Amino acid sequence: MSDSLEREARSLLSAAAVRARAGEMLEIGLAGGLSHFTIDLDRMDGVADAVIAVTRKAYPTLDVPFHARWRHFVLGGVYRWARLADAALWPDRAARARAEFDLAIVSVLLDAGAGAAWRYRDAVTGEAIGRSEGLAIASLDMFASGLFSGDARAPFRADADVLALLPLASLTSAFQVSDANPLLGLEGRADLLRRLGEHVANYPEIFARIDTPRPGGLFDHIAARAVSGTIAAPAILTAVLNELGPIWPSRLELAGVPLGDCWRHPAIKANDSTEGLVPLHKLSQWLSYSLIEPLQRAGFEVTDIDGLTGLAEYRNGGLFVDHEVLRLRDAADAERAHAVDSLLVVEWRALTVALLDRLAERIRAKLGRSPESLPLASILEGGTWAAGRAIAFARRPDGSPPLKVISDGTVF
């Protein structure tokens, strides 16, 4: 195996590669060269207006936080993690950051699509919560109860050895899963957490610099690379992809490097071994956005937040299909279920990333904002995800996405 091949493989483990390949897919589509979609950019203005409308409703002052897991820990106006964390006794800011990395990593890995039927009944409010919000509150309850901790006196942690042996029955019970309350991809989620635990235990030089092996040790690894107290957001993603990449189910590898959320599409050209490969890294970028705030609370300045990309998931993607920016060449494809590695899904997801960049420019132009005052992470939160959900419910009673993707619990 040559060093150059490995360098080419690792070049796909970056936000820059996601943006470049997604942009290439959009250009091919605009030239009429895609198998499954045509693109109508004239409809983007209406999408921008829809996103601005839901953003103003949720954030009237347009002071919009980042799209991150932390938003989903708010229920009934109460920010549950902050209430727990603010009441805890932390020896220093780094200890809280490690706990927040533990929570974010585990919660995001549990956050693939839940399906339309599943609900989590919250013990405090009695509310039955579905989808991402339900998964978030469920995972927070697991974390707060010490399900992932090896020390009953210290529940707010996720220990590698506990994760590695996590029984499926524990997740089944914690997610309140039953025949009447099915959760998509439960086995895939349990397997992913076990793989996380095994991997973290095997790399103490990354995950146990200060403490025993735990995912939160990634905080110390990233903090050690800060320059004058500053960390660039794309560097967070690079650390997530390189240090957590091996936990993903076996998909594509190049030069022995697991490529994670990366797929084949023959239209993508390159003059090296990465030809035909489309990196998207949806969950890893969602996690990277979610690690920004713990780093900030720990005293680091996080820069180049717009260096990360939009997320290739079904709410953002559905926004463009339901607003008819993206149109299926074969209308019958809306009724079929598609594998996540199908050309249709790869096209849809890559186009979503590229269109989010163009949409962000339109939204900022309409609002007179700069990328610094309204970063993409805030537009996603305000934003595109909520607008995608809103039009989904307007079009379909159950709010399901416009295209059906067969999920294994580790992509969407």
Side-chain angles (χ1 to χ4, degrees), residues 209 217-228 230-231 295 300:
R209 296 167 71 110
L218 189 64
F219 165 77
D220 300 295
H221 175 75
I222 292 173
R225 282 156 176 70
V227 178
S228 303
T230 298
I231 297 163
L295 286 161
F300 294 95

Side-chain angles (χ1 to χ4, degrees), residues 101-309:
F101 267 54
D102 275 340
L103 173 56
I105 291 168
V106 169
S107 185
V108 166
L109 292 182
L110 290 171
D111 190 39
W118 177 80
R119 296 290 183 274
Y120 181 74
R121 187 163 295 280
D122 175 49
V124 177
T125 63
E127 189 179 342
I129 319 156
R131 303 192 184 271
S132 272
E133 291 87 345
L135 293 168
I137 295 297
S139 64
L140 177 58
D141 285 349
M142 293 178 213
F143 186 76
S145 74
L147 180 65
F148 310 117
S149 172
D151 183 349
R153 299 162 299 174
F156 297 164
R157 56 185 296 129
D159 287 299
D161 54 350
V162 175
L163 292 171
L165 297 173
L166 189 70
L168 177 62
S170 293
L171 275 192
T172 303
S173 172
F175 275 128
Q176 303 171 357
V177 173
S178 66
D179 289 345
N181 192 36
L183 176 64
L184 291 181
L186 182 62
E187 293 84 355
R189 294 167 213 264
D191 184 56
L192 196 56
L193 289 192
R194 287 192 288 263
R195 291 166 69 102
L196 171 67
E198 292 165 5
H199 176 73
V200 166
N202 286 336
Y203 290 89
E205 68 277 15
I206 303 295
F207 297 102
R209 296 167 71 110
I210 306 295
D211 200 348
T212 52
R214 54 193 286 202
L218 189 64
F219 165 77
D220 300 295
H221 175 75
I222 292 173
R225 282 156 176 70
V227 178
S228 303
T230 298
I231 297 163
I236 301 172
L237 176 64
T238 296
V240 165
L241 289 170
N242 280 286
E243 308 309 337
L244 296 178
I247 73 171
W248 296 104
S250 181
R251 293 194 187 115
L252 296 181
E253 287 192 0
L254 184 59
V257 177
L259 299 180
D261 184 6
C262 180
W263 311 90
R264 293 195 185 279
H265 195 291
I268 298 299
K269 304 302 180 189
N271 294 318
D272 61 20
S273 62
T274 69
E275 179 157 341
L277 295 176
V278 184
L280 295 162
H281 306 314
K282 178 259 169 175
L283 271 178
S284 295
Q285 293 210 78
W286 170 230
L287 176 55
S288 299
Y289 279 124
S290 300
L291 298 181
I292 292 172
E293 289 163 62
L295 286 161
Q296 290 174 326
R297 273 191 289 275
F300 294 95
E301 180 186 358
V302 180
T303 59
D304 192 19
I305 290 167
D306 263 20
L308 298 175
T309 79

